[in-house]
Amino acid sequence: DTEVTQTPKHLVMGMTNKKSLKCEQHMGHRAMYWYKQKAKKPPELMFVYSYEKLSINESVPSRFSPECPNSSLLNLHLHALQPEDSALYLCASSQVRRGSMNTEAFFGQGTRLTVV
Amino acid sequence: GIQVEQSPPDLILQEGANSTLRCNFSDSVNNLQWFHQNPWGQLINLFYIPSGTKQNGRLSATTVATERYSLLYISSSQTTDSGVYFCAVDRGDYKLSFGAGTTVTVRA
Protein backbone atom coordinates (compact mmCIF):
# COMPACT_ATOMS: atom_id res chain seq x y z
CA ASP A 1 0.00 0.00 0.00
CA THR A 2 1.56 3.29 -1.12
CA GLU A 3 -1.31 5.54 -0.13
CA VAL A 4 -1.26 8.92 1.52
CA THR A 5 -4.75 10.12 2.41
CA GLN A 6 -5.65 13.78 2.76
CA THR A 7 -8.88 15.31 4.04
CA PRO A 8 -10.78 17.31 3.10
CA LYS A 9 -10.35 17.31 -0.69
CA HIS A 10 -11.82 20.81 -0.98
CA LEU A 11 -12.06 23.60 1.59
CA VAL A 12 -13.46 27.11 1.41
CA MET A 13 -12.73 29.32 4.40
CA GLY A 14 -13.07 32.94 5.39
CA MET A 15 -10.15 35.06 6.47
CA THR A 16 -11.24 34.91 10.13
CA ASN A 17 -11.82 31.15 10.21
CA LYS A 18 -9.69 28.45 11.80
CA LYS A 19 -9.49 25.15 9.96
CA SER A 20 -7.23 22.11 9.78
CA LEU A 21 -5.96 19.91 6.98
CA LYS A 22 -5.29 16.27 7.79
CA CYS A 23 -2.91 13.71 6.30
CA GLU A 24 -2.48 10.03 7.11
CA GLN A 25 -0.14 7.28 5.92
CA HIS A 26 0.29 3.66 7.01
CA MET A 27 3.49 2.81 5.15
CA GLY A 28 5.67 3.12 8.24
CA HIS A 29 7.35 6.21 6.80
CA ARG A 30 9.11 8.39 9.38
CA ALA A 31 9.32 11.58 7.29
CA MET A 32 6.21 13.61 6.43
CA TYR A 33 5.93 16.82 4.43
CA TRP A 34 3.62 19.69 3.56
CA TYR A 35 3.88 21.29 0.14
CA LYS A 36 1.98 24.22 -1.38
CA GLN A 37 1.23 24.40 -5.10
CA LYS A 38 -0.14 27.46 -6.88
CA ALA A 39 -1.81 27.12 -10.27
CA LYS A 40 0.60 26.28 -13.12
CA LYS A 41 3.57 26.16 -10.71
CA PRO A 42 5.53 23.27 -9.20
CA PRO A 43 4.99 22.24 -5.57
CA GLU A 44 7.01 24.18 -3.00
CA LEU A 45 8.17 22.73 0.30
CA MET A 46 6.67 24.21 3.48
CA PHE A 47 7.47 21.86 6.39
CA VAL A 48 9.21 18.56 7.08
CA TYR A 49 8.75 16.30 10.08
CA SER A 50 11.29 13.59 10.74
CA TYR A 51 10.55 11.08 13.50
CA GLU A 52 7.63 13.29 14.58
CA LYS A 53 9.88 16.31 15.12
CA LEU A 54 9.76 19.45 13.01
CA SER A 55 13.06 19.47 11.12
CA ILE A 56 12.46 21.98 8.32
CA ASN A 57 10.34 25.14 8.18
CA GLU A 58 10.85 26.97 4.90
CA SER A 59 10.13 30.40 6.40
CA VAL A 60 6.39 29.78 6.32
CA PRO A 61 4.16 32.49 7.90
CA SER A 62 2.89 31.66 11.39
CA ARG A 63 -0.72 31.58 10.19
CA PHE A 64 0.23 28.04 9.06
CA SER A 65 0.91 25.77 12.02
CA PRO A 66 1.94 22.15 11.47
CA GLU A 67 1.48 19.33 13.94
CA CYS A 68 2.57 15.68 13.93
CA PRO A 69 0.60 13.86 16.66
CA ASN A 70 2.13 10.46 15.82
CA SER A 71 4.14 8.70 13.13
CA SER A 72 1.08 8.19 10.88
CA LEU A 73 -0.63 11.57 11.11
CA LEU A 74 0.21 15.08 10.00
CA ASN A 75 -1.99 18.14 10.44
CA LEU A 76 -1.80 21.68 9.11
CA HIS A 77 -3.69 24.22 11.19
CA LEU A 78 -4.83 27.33 9.36
CA HIS A 79 -5.74 30.66 10.95
CA ALA A 80 -6.27 34.18 9.60
CA LEU A 81 -5.34 33.22 6.04
CA GLN A 82 -5.25 35.63 3.13
CA PRO A 83 -6.80 35.15 -0.32
CA GLU A 84 -3.28 34.69 -1.75
CA ASP A 85 -2.97 31.54 0.39
CA SER A 86 -5.50 29.85 -1.89
CA ALA A 87 -3.68 26.87 -3.41
CA LEU A 88 -3.43 23.09 -3.56
CA TYR A 89 -1.86 21.77 -0.34
CA LEU A 90 -0.09 18.46 -0.75
CA CYS A 91 1.05 16.07 1.94
CA ALA A 92 3.83 13.55 1.30
CA SER A 93 5.72 10.87 3.18
CA SER A 94 8.96 8.98 2.68
CA GLN A 95 11.07 6.36 4.37
CA VAL A 96 14.20 7.36 6.24
CA ARG A 97 17.28 5.24 5.70
CA ARG A 98 20.62 5.08 7.44
CA GLY A 99 19.00 7.07 10.24
CA SER A 100 18.84 10.38 8.49
CA MET A 101 18.40 10.37 4.71
CA ASN A 102 15.04 10.37 2.97
CA THR A 103 14.12 8.15 0.02
CA GLU A 104 11.23 8.05 -2.46
CA ALA A 105 8.34 10.38 -1.64
CA PHE A 106 4.65 9.52 -2.03
CA PHE A 107 2.03 12.23 -2.26
CA GLY A 108 -1.61 12.50 -1.27
CA GLN A 109 -4.35 13.80 -3.57
CA GLY A 110 -4.15 17.24 -2.01
CA THR A 111 -6.58 19.69 -0.45
CA ARG A 112 -7.74 22.47 -2.75
CA LEU A 113 -8.06 25.49 -0.47
CA THR A 114 -9.93 28.67 -1.32
CA VAL A 115 -9.73 31.64 1.05
CA VAL A 116 -12.54 34.16 0.63
CA GLY B 1 19.12 24.49 -3.28
CA ILE B 2 19.51 22.30 -6.34
CA GLN B 3 18.31 23.90 -9.59
CA VAL B 4 16.14 21.70 -11.79
CA GLU B 5 15.40 22.53 -15.42
CA GLN B 6 12.87 20.63 -17.51
CA SER B 7 12.41 20.75 -21.25
CA PRO B 8 10.39 21.29 -23.29
CA PRO B 9 7.88 23.32 -21.25
CA ASP B 10 5.02 22.22 -23.50
CA LEU B 11 4.57 19.24 -25.79
CA ILE B 12 1.67 18.50 -28.12
CA LEU B 13 1.50 14.98 -29.49
CA GLN B 14 -0.71 13.03 -31.81
CA GLU B 15 -1.98 9.79 -30.29
CA GLY B 16 0.51 7.02 -30.99
CA ALA B 17 3.56 9.29 -31.15
CA ASN B 18 6.73 8.88 -29.09
CA SER B 19 8.39 11.63 -27.05
CA THR B 20 11.32 12.41 -24.76
CA LEU B 21 11.23 14.73 -21.75
CA ARG B 22 14.47 16.00 -20.23
CA CYS B 23 15.49 17.01 -16.71
CA ASN B 24 18.82 18.71 -15.94
CA PHE B 25 19.96 19.30 -12.39
CA SER B 26 22.73 21.47 -11.00
CA ASP B 27 24.34 19.23 -8.35
CA SER B 28 24.78 15.59 -7.34
CA VAL B 29 21.61 14.03 -5.97
CA ASN B 30 20.61 11.08 -3.81
CA ASN B 31 17.00 10.91 -5.01
CA LEU B 32 15.40 11.59 -8.37
CA GLN B 33 11.75 11.03 -9.14
CA TRP B 34 9.44 11.50 -12.12
CA PHE B 35 5.78 12.31 -11.41
CA HIS B 36 2.67 12.71 -13.53
CA GLN B 37 0.18 15.21 -12.16
CA ASN B 38 -3.34 14.48 -13.30
CA PRO B 39 -6.04 17.15 -13.82
CA TRP B 40 -7.30 16.62 -10.24
CA GLY B 41 -3.89 17.46 -8.78
CA GLN B 42 -2.73 13.99 -7.77
CA LEU B 43 1.02 13.46 -8.14
CA ILE B 44 1.49 9.93 -9.40
CA ASN B 45 4.87 8.29 -8.95
CA LEU B 46 6.25 7.15 -12.29
CA PHE B 47 9.87 6.35 -11.48
CA TYR B 48 12.29 6.53 -8.60
CA ILE B 49 15.54 6.63 -10.55
CA PRO B 50 18.62 8.30 -9.02
CA SER B 51 20.71 6.39 -11.58
CA GLY B 52 20.33 3.79 -14.30
CA THR B 53 17.44 2.80 -16.52
CA LYS B 54 13.95 1.56 -15.70
CA GLN B 55 10.91 0.62 -17.76
CA ASN B 56 7.24 0.38 -16.87
CA GLY B 57 4.98 -0.45 -19.77
CA ARG B 58 5.07 2.32 -22.36
CA LEU B 59 7.18 4.53 -20.10
CA SER B 60 10.88 4.31 -19.46
CA ALA B 61 13.45 6.54 -17.80
CA THR B 62 17.20 6.92 -17.77
CA THR B 63 19.32 8.93 -15.34
CA VAL B 64 22.99 9.68 -16.02
CA ALA B 65 24.00 10.93 -12.60
CA THR B 66 27.59 11.79 -13.58
CA GLU B 67 26.26 14.16 -16.27
CA ARG B 68 23.36 15.42 -14.13
CA TYR B 69 20.42 14.69 -16.36
CA SER B 70 17.47 12.34 -16.62
CA LEU B 71 15.21 11.45 -19.55
CA LEU B 72 11.62 10.21 -19.54
CA TYR B 73 10.43 8.38 -22.66
CA ILE B 74 6.77 8.02 -23.56
CA SER B 75 6.06 5.58 -26.37
CA SER B 76 2.79 5.08 -28.28
CA SER B 77 1.22 7.99 -26.41
CA GLN B 78 -2.44 7.87 -25.40
CA THR B 79 -4.83 10.67 -24.45
CA THR B 80 -4.62 9.49 -20.84
CA ASP B 81 -0.92 10.46 -20.88
CA SER B 82 -1.94 14.13 -20.95
CA GLY B 83 -1.00 16.18 -17.91
CA VAL B 84 2.04 17.74 -16.31
CA TYR B 85 5.21 15.73 -15.84
CA PHE B 86 7.53 16.80 -13.03
CA CYS B 87 11.09 15.84 -12.28
CA ALA B 88 12.12 16.26 -8.62
CA VAL B 89 15.49 15.79 -6.91
CA ASP B 90 17.12 16.06 -3.50
CA ARG B 91 20.40 15.26 -1.72
CA GLY B 92 18.74 13.01 0.87
CA ASP B 93 18.19 16.17 2.95
CA TYR B 94 14.36 16.05 2.69
CA LYS B 95 14.30 19.12 0.41
CA LEU B 96 12.75 17.67 -2.73
CA SER B 97 13.08 20.35 -5.45
CA PHE B 98 10.77 20.27 -8.44
CA GLY B 99 11.39 21.43 -11.97
CA ALA B 100 8.82 23.70 -13.62
CA GLY B 101 7.24 20.73 -15.37
CA THR B 102 6.43 19.70 -18.93
CA THR B 103 2.78 20.01 -19.96
CA VAL B 104 1.92 17.18 -22.34
CA THR B 105 -1.21 17.26 -24.48
CA VAL B 106 -2.04 14.13 -26.47
CA ARG B 107 -4.62 14.65 -29.22
CA ALA B 108 -6.82 11.83 -30.53
Side-chain angles (χ1 to χ4, degrees):
Chain A
D1 181 10
T2 56
E3 190 170 313
V4 178
T5 304
Q6 290 187 241
T7 55
K9 289 188 170 43
H10 300 274
L11 179 63
V12 179
M13 63 183 290
M15 289 188 283
T16 58
N17 291 159
K18 287 185 181 180
K19 296 285 185 183
S20 297
L21 309 184
K22 297 186 183 301
C23 174
E24 190 168 6
Q25 58 89 13
H26 295 288
M27 294 178 277
H29 291 171
R30 301 309 297 272
M32 296 188 76
Y33 312 75
W34 282 114
Y35 280 81
K36 174 181 178 179
Q37 185 178 19
K38 300 284 279 184
K40 300 195 183 301
K41 296 289 187 182
E44 294 182 340
L45 183 64
M46 299 175 70
F47 301 104
V48 179
Y49 274 82
S50 174
Y51 293 94
E52 297 89 70
K53 287 186 170 45
L54 182 65
S55 58
I56 295 174
N57 176 344
E58 293 286 77
S59 303
V60 178
S62 60
R63 57 185 184 269
F64 295 91
S65 176
E67 177 196 21
C68 190
N70 60 53
S71 60
S72 300
L73 293 174
L74 185 67
N75 298 321
L76 186 63
H77 303 298
L78 314 172
H79 173 54
L81 294 194
Q82 303 297 310
E84 58 265 29
D85 296 320
S86 298
L88 180 68
Y89 288 84
L90 292 161
C91 174
S93 71
S94 69
Q95 191 52 276
V96 179
R97 67 179 173 200
R98 285 182 250 148
S100 62
M101 295 174 69
N102 61 296
T103 59
E104 183 179 9
F106 295 87
F107 284 78
Q109 287 184 307
T111 294
R112 203 165 292 277
L113 174 68
T114 304
V115 181
V116 297
Chain B
I2 302 176
Q3 305 302 308
V4 184
E5 292 183 359
Q6 290 186 243
S7 59
D10 297 282
L11 193 56
I12 299 176
L13 302 170
Q14 204 62 34
E15 202 168 27
N18 302 329
S19 62
T20 301
L21 283 60
R22 187 176 179 103
C23 171
N24 293 333
F25 43 96
S26 61
D27 204 347
S28 59
V29 299
N30 278 77
N31 300 307
L32 188 147
Q33 295 183 244
W34 283 98
F35 296 94
H36 177 210
Q37 189 164 41
N38 65 23
W40 297 272
Q42 171 90 53
L43 279 169
I44 298 164
N45 289 43
L46 297 178
F47 294 102
Y48 174 70
I49 189 167
S51 64
T53 297
K54 290 186 177 180
Q55 179 156 8
N56 185 1
R58 296 181 296 102
L59 300 181
S60 62
T62 295
T63 298
V64 183
T66 53
E67 296 188 23
R68 300 181 185 167
Y69 73 89
S70 183
L71 302 174
L72 178 69
Y73 306 96
I74 305 174
S75 65
S76 304
S77 57
Q78 300 177 358
T79 55
T80 51
D81 294 330
S82 296
V84 183
Y85 290 79
F86 286 108
C87 170
V89 303
D90 69 56
R91 296 190 186 95
D93 58 356
Y94 305 90
K95 294 188 176 185
L96 193 63
S97 295
F98 285 74
T102 293
T103 301
V104 173
T105 303
V106 182
R107 293 184 173 158

